Amino acid sequence: MDNIKHKSLLQMLLSIPIAGVLVGIDQLTKYWANTSLRVNGPVTVINGVFSFTWTQNDGAAWGMLGGNVILNWLPIIIAVIVAVLYQRIPVSKRMLPLNIIAIMLFAGAIGNRIDRSVYGYVQDFLYFELIDFPIFNVADCYVTVSVALLIILILFVYKEDDFGFLKLSKKGDNNE
């Protein structure tokens, strides 16, 4: 792992528009939900299976821990941790999925943080009625899908040696 290629400043900066597009999609869908569903009520897509149903969520994932003040900071903490780790993920075909996952996690955290800053809660609108699953949004999808993919990659693709980039180097250690 001595010839690990880390991201250049340009590569780091190029990831910002990608995350921005993902956040934009999340915010546009929430805007639609707020201006349409909140005013006019739910829209059934498949009767008894799936609908667009607006709700406000002052909790964490799927409404857990509602009203907890720590939740206001959680998306910021996640975004900062992911951003710091993202810059350490090597640039290679093998690590491309991990880089994509980091961008998706970052976008999901920022998308929901924007809602908490603007409204004081997160807007949710995707509802699987068939299983009465808690209502969620696009940013939640980014986070859930990326965490699921990360678990799959850790269990079945990556090996412990692949995560050497997470180790902090000692002073005077020039392996990077």
Side-chain angles (χ1 to χ4, degrees):
M1 284 222 117
D2 285 338
N3 35 343
I4 293 174
K5 184 179 179 214
H6 292 282
K7 290 177 190 65
S8 68
L9 179 60
L10 179 61
Q11 288 168 318
M12 293 289 293
L13 291 175
L14 288 176
S15 63
I16 293 171
I18 296 167
V21 167
L22 293 174
V23 171
I25 291 168
D26 171 65
Q27 291 299 300
L28 283 172
T29 59
K30 289 174 179 173
Y31 175 80
W32 168 77
N34 192 11
T35 58
S36 179
L37 301 175
R38 184 177 190 180
V39 175
N40 301 319
V43 172
T44 299
V45 178
I46 302 172
N47 194 24
V49 177
F50 180 77
S51 68
F52 295 116
T53 304
W54 186 90
T55 189
Q56 64 185 50
N57 175 1
D58 67 349
W62 306 302
M64 294 183 295
L65 304 172
N68 191 325
V69 176
I70 293 172
L71 294 178
N72 289 328
W73 295 99
L74 189 60
I76 293 171
I77 293 166
I78 291 170
V80 168
I81 291 170
V82 169
V84 168
L85 291 177
Y86 174 72
Q87 64 90 22
R88 295 186 59 86
I89 301 171
V91 177
S92 69
K93 282 185 183 178
R94 180 160 178 78
M95 291 295 163
L96 180 61
L98 203 53
N99 281 287
I100 292 169
I101 285 169
I103 292 171
M104 287 176 59
L105 275 170
F106 182 81
I110 295 299
N112 283 339
R113 179 64 224 160
I114 290 170
D115 274 23
R116 289 191 192 283
S117 295
V118 173
Y119 303 105
Y121 54 83
V122 173
Q123 301 179 87
D124 290 333
F125 61 93
L126 301 169
Y127 180 42
F128 281 100
E129 299 171 39
L130 182 65
I131 57 174
D132 194 27
F133 195 79
I135 303 172
F136 57 100
N137 62 50
V138 174
D140 296 337
C141 292
Y142 297 156
V143 171
T144 303
V145 168
S146 24
V147 168
L149 289 173
L150 181 61
I151 291 168
I152 290 167
L153 289 172
I154 289 171
L155 290 176
F156 301 110
V157 177
Y158 295 133
K159 308 209 178 343
E160 188 175 337
D161 291 348
D162 291 322
F163 294 101
F165 66 88
L166 292 174
K167 294 178 185 166
L168 297 175
S169 59
K170 298 174 189 169
K171 285 187 177 182
D173 188 4
N174 290 331
N175 286 344
E176 293 189 43

